[in-house]
Amino acid sequence: MVDLTLTDEQKDLREMAHNFAEKEIRPVAWDYDRDATWPQEIIEKAWEVGLMNAELPEAYGGPELGQLSGCLIEEEMGWGCSGIGTSLMANGLASAPVVLGGSEEVKKKYLGMLAEEPKLASFCLTEPDAGSDVGGMKTRAVKKGDKWVISGSKTFITNGSHASWYTVYAKTDPDAGHRGVSAFVVPRDADGVSVDKKEDKLGQRASDTALISFDDVETPAGNLLGE
């Protein structure tokens, strides 16, 4: 049997997250949503008090609070504003593949980056013509020497305009369907990376959602996640 009774530490964490959402997010949530404004100040405050990157491993500078604690924080941030909450929590989605498949060098560099400063990362999977049909993605990655060269576009990318790095999925074996897909860490400042469009949504307008293009973008061979 799984015991989901909260510990005293988890109750304190939930209370802290609730108070933060009540004082820092809810009073301004409507303004951010109405104007589709980027909540940089709130992101910096949330990072400063430890309400971001809850599951980031201790070995790379994170608190490693566990999934349940992460859920408690996310629930309260979403109560404050679902859009701002989405942007605050999206690092977990981008960093999970790095935790699972990244080399020690990659983990120290990119996970450490999130622990050292209030920076963001984005998970880049969905494409204009391949949303739920992941096996139909068109983005390609070709090995050239000690680099992978990535070309394609990703859409509906949370925090895409503000991320410092991306976890990008691309076809390395186009004939293998979903088994031919690989994942890579791509720095935002790499040549050929561009933010082509910021989506104007019907809701969650405080959360940045963008179209990202990769035009023959080179990333080191070691930035491949897994085999």
Side-chain angles (χ1 to χ4, degrees):
M1 179 181 295
V2 178
D3 184 5
L4 296 180
T5 303
L6 300 184
T7 65
D8 289 340
E9 291 78 8
Q10 288 170 333
K11 291 177 182 177
D12 290 342
L13 181 65
R14 181 178 62 183
E15 182 178 4
M16 181 178 74
H18 182 84
N19 290 339
F20 183 90
E22 185 175 43
K23 296 176 182 178
E24 302 291 344
I25 299 178
R26 285 182 75 87
V28 294
W30 168 246
D31 296 327
Y32 277 104
D33 190 81
R34 179 194 60 216
D35 301 332
T37 309
W38 177 246
Q40 182 64 33
E41 183 177 352
I42 294 176
I43 288 171
E44 291 176 1
K45 288 181 179 179
W47 182 88
E48 185 66 33
V49 299
L51 292 175
M52 289 179 64
N53 309 307
E55 297 169 43
L56 201 66
E58 287 184 358
Y60 311 108
E64 200 170 345
L65 297 178
Q67 293 184 342
L68 179 55
S69 295
C71 287
L72 294 174
I73 294 172
E74 187 164 355
E75 184 176 50
E76 296 298 341
M77 296 300 99
W79 173 77
C81 171
S82 63
I84 294 174
T86 295
S87 284
L88 288 173
M89 299 295 110
N91 277 357
L93 184 59
S95 62
V98 179
V99 172
L100 291 172
S103 66
E104 276 302 304
E105 181 181 1
V106 166
K107 288 177 182 179
K108 287 179 181 178
K109 180 175 181 179
Y110 291 101
L111 299 181
M113 193 181 297
L114 303 181
E116 291 165 2
E117 297 180 63
K119 291 189 174 182
L120 302 169
S122 290
F123 183 86
C124 297
L125 178 66
T126 302
E127 297 187 359
D129 298 318
S132 56
D133 178 19
V134 173
M137 71 171 58
K138 296 179 181 178
T139 299
R140 298 287 183 264
V142 178
K143 184 73 176 297
K144 293 185 179 180
D146 61 350
K147 307 281 187 182
W148 284 94
V149 181
I150 301 174
S151 296
S153 295
K154 300 293 181 178
T155 193
F156 305 139
I157 305 305
T158 300
N159 295 345
S161 304
H162 301 273
S164 294
W165 54 269
Y166 305 104
T167 299
V168 182
Y169 289 79
K171 281 285 188 71
T172 47
D173 184 353
D175 298 324
H178 68 280
R179 295 185 181 276
V181 177
S182 301
F184 305 85
V185 174
V186 178
R188 165 67 184 278
D189 59 3
D191 291 340
V193 176
S194 61
V195 178
D196 289 341
K197 177 186 178 183
K198 179 180 176 180
E199 300 291 346
D200 185 15
K201 307 186 297 293
L202 291 175
Q204 294 198 338
R205 288 164 51 81
S207 177
D208 174 73
T209 307
L211 174 67
I212 312 296
S213 290
F214 302 89
D215 184 12
D216 289 334
V217 175
E218 294 184 352
T219 197
N223 281 18
L224 171 69
L225 302 176
E227 297 178 0

